[in-house]
């Protein structure tokens, strides 16, 4: 089971997104949309064979397992691009009340990863653009999960109808993108309210050397604050369970 009625989804989100396309299989929704899309376009795929995660990691989407899509936007305001991945994770949490966020944008349920997000900017185009890729685990067998720390909606006892669920996610994303552009202060307040990383003792794996400490918060530009120092990038591991 996967997305079936793309016309239904397009009609539901027509006031928010310019065009919604569906493909059965693609290498990477991000790469395909950057190559062939325009700002305001959405590309949904049943299967990704050459998707990318952070730090160039491979991201493969088996058919029928994920709601996998990318959204193409104008990279404006460019000075707030660091907040866009946070806004995207927040949109997923808007639709899944059980979800919490691990900085910057991993979506968790009960401490296990439910969804991943990757944004990529293209400043070589005539109009600078940014693409945001989202993969939400919807229907997996436990033994087929990519890592032990992952989960999916069906394994958490959350049943969704694919087409309405996809439309709800896209509408939530559209609203959070609007907020990213117009009201970053409220966006950050909303993000902090569902960020499970704040208050945690963490290890941040980064190019300049790993850091361990307690997360004080998230800065106005989306950086993680660990023992009073801001970091803009790195992989976070929670070293103790969230409260």
């Amino acid at each position: 089971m996967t997305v079936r009625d793309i016309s239904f989804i397009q009609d539901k989100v027509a006031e928010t997104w310019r065009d919604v396309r569906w493909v059965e299989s693609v290498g990477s929704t991000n790469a395909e949309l950057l190559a062939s899309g325009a700002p305001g376009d959405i590309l949904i795929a049943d299967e990704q064979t050459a998707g990318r995660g952070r730090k160039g990691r491979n991201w493969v989407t088996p058919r029928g397992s994920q709601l996998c899509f990318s959204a193409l936007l104008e990279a404006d305001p460019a000075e707030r691009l660091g907040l866009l991945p946070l806004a995207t994770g927040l949109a997923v949490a808007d639709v899944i009340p059980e979800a919490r966020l691990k900085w910057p944008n991993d979506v968790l349920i009960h401490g296990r990863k439910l969804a991943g997000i990757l944004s990529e900017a293209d400043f070589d185009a005539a109009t600078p653009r940014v693409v945001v890729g989202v993969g939400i685990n919807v229907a997996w067998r436990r033994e087929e999960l990519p890592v032990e720390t992952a989960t999916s909606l069906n394994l958490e006892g959350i049943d969704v109808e694919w087409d309405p669920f996809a439309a709800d996610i896209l509408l939530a994303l559209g609203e959070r993108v609007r907020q990213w552009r117009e009201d970053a202060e409220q966006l950050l307040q909303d993000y902090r309210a569902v960020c499970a990383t704040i208050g945690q003792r963490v290890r941040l794996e980064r190019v300049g050397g790993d850091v361990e400490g307690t997360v004080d918060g998230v800065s106005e530009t989306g950086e993680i604050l660990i023992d009073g120092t801001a970091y803009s990038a790195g992989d976070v591991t929670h070293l103790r369970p969230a409260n």
Side-chain angles (χ1 to χ4, degrees), residues 210-226:
D210 295 355
V211 174
E212 289 193 12
T214 300
V215 177
D216 306 315
V218 174
S219 76
E220 296 301 312
T221 53
E223 296 170 310
I224 189 172
L225 303 174
I226 301 176

Side-chain angles (χ1 to χ4, degrees), residues 60 62 65-66 137-142 144-146 152 154-155:
V60 177
S65 64
Q66 283 191 336
N137 295 339
V138 176
W140 287 77
R141 295 184 179 90
R142 191 172 298 279
E144 294 178 344
L145 288 169
S152 63
N154 68 309
L155 294 176

Side-chain angles (χ1 to χ4, degrees), residues 82-91 93-94 99-107 117 176 179 183-198 215 217-219 221-224 236 238:
L83 295 181
L84 185 56
L86 279 64
T88 306
L90 186 54
D94 287 339
R100 295 294 179 267
L101 302 177
K102 184 179 79 170
W103 185 90
N105 52 30
D106 281 349
V107 182
I117 293 161
R176 290 302 184 179
Q179 199 176 42
D183 193 357
E185 182 177 352
Q186 184 62 53
L187 174 69
L188 279 161
Q189 288 182 22
D190 294 346
Y191 176 87
R192 293 170 182 136
V194 296
C195 181
T197 304
I198 295 173
V215 177
V218 174
S219 76
T221 53
E223 296 170 310
I224 189 172
V236 165
H238 291 172

Side-chain angles (χ1 to χ4, degrees), residues 29-130:
T29 54
N30 272 14
E32 177 65 25
L33 203 51
L34 281 171
S36 62
D41 285 1
I42 300 289
L43 177 63
I44 302 173
D46 263 7
E47 176 188 47
Q48 268 197 135
T49 60
R52 299 187 296 274
R54 288 202 300 269
K55 297 184 178 180
R57 299 184 184 101
N58 291 332
W59 176 11
V60 177
T61 305
R63 292 185 183 182
S65 64
Q66 283 191 336
L67 173 60
C68 177
F69 70 90
S70 291
L72 189 62
L73 305 163
E74 291 185 5
D76 180 32
E79 67 275 11
R80 289 208 292 268
L81 281 180
L83 295 181
L84 185 56
L86 279 64
T88 306
L90 186 54
V92 178
D94 287 339
V95 179
I96 305 169
E98 300 88 344
R100 295 294 179 267
L101 302 177
K102 184 179 79 170
W103 185 90
N105 52 30
D106 281 349
V107 182
L108 310 178
I109 290 185
H110 302 135
R112 293 180 175 271
K113 186 172 178 178
L114 177 74
I117 293 161
L118 178 69
S119 64
E120 300 177 273
D122 175 17
F123 290 108
D124 294 329
T127 300
R129 306 173 301 166
V130 59

Side-chain angles (χ1 to χ4, degrees), residues 12-17 91 166-176:
K12 288 289 186 181
V13 306
E15 294 185 5
T16 304
W17 297 103
D168 288 346
I169 291 288
L170 293 178
L171 288 172
L173 178 59
E175 175 57 25
R176 290 302 184 179

